């Protein structure tokens, strides 16, 4: 009788080690799996949740990087336009433009009060 119990234990161990036993679904009938089904399902759901969360986070980080680069470009463009406007608004530059356009204007002889 003891020999048959030992043979059954050996057969169970052989079944557990077999790849076909695992891939065939035989492992799903094991007592451990049946007792902890809820916990296994919970762990799988949490794994999917964390993977999705990480994917969303990575997408948002890429978007932030893209927007920061765009902001740098716009700031540089605004700075260059501002410096160009400052250069064009000097009195000497305005007088030169008035002469080039042929407009009959003269600068004030007396300073404003």
């Amino acid at each position: 009788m003891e020999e048959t119990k030992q043979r059954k234990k050996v057969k169970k161990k052989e079944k557990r080690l077999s790849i076909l036993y695992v891939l065939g679904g035989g492992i799903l009938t094991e007592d451990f799996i049946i007792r902890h089904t809820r916990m296994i399902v919970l762990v799988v759901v949490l794994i999917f949740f964390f993977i999705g969360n990480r994917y969303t986070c990575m997408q948002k980080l890429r978007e932030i990087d893209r927007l920061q680069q765009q902001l740098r470009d716009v700031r540089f463009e605004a700075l260059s336009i501002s410096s160009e406007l400052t250069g064009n608004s000097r009195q000497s530059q305005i007088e030169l433009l008035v002469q080039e356009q042929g407009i009959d204007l003269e600068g004030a002889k007396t300073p404003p009060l």
Side-chain angles (χ1 to χ4, degrees):
M1 191 175 269
E2 288 182 28
E3 287 181 27
T4 57
K5 286 183 182 180
Q6 287 177 352
R7 286 182 186 174
K8 287 181 181 180
K9 286 182 182 179
V10 170
K11 284 185 179 182
K12 279 190 176 183
K13 285 183 182 178
E14 287 177 2
K15 284 184 181 180
R16 288 183 185 171
L17 297 177
S18 172
I19 294 176
L20 292 176
Y21 179 70
V22 173
L23 293 177
I27 196 167
L28 298 175
T29 61
E30 292 292 325
D31 290 335
F32 177 80
I33 301 295
I34 292 172
R35 282 185 283 148
H36 295 94
T37 302
R38 289 182 184 169
M39 182 60 77
I40 292 170
V41 169
L42 176 67
V43 169
V44 169
V45 168
L46 287 175
I47 288 172
F48 280 120
F49 175 74
F50 287 133
I51 289 171
N53 190 26
R54 180 181 168 99
Y55 179 74
T56 304
C57 181
M58 294 300 288
Q59 280 184 326
K60 289 184 189 266
L61 287 173
R62 284 189 205 112
E63 179 72 13
I64 288 170
D65 288 341
R66 185 185 65 79
L67 290 174
Q68 284 177 342
Q69 180 63 36
Q70 187 177 1
L71 179 63
R72 276 187 238 121
D73 293 344
V74 169
R75 281 184 180 166
F76 177 74
E77 185 178 347
L79 184 63
S80 64
I81 290 172
S82 175
S83 67
E84 185 179 330
L85 179 62
T86 302
N88 287 339
S89 65
R90 291 188 184 141
Q91 185 176 359
S92 61
Q93 188 69 23
I94 291 175
E95 289 175 355
L96 183 64
L97 287 172
V98 166
Q99 286 177 356
E100 286 178 2
Q101 296 291 327
I103 301 173
D104 194 25
L105 290 178
E106 291 183 10
K109 303 278 187 225
T110 59
L113 298 175

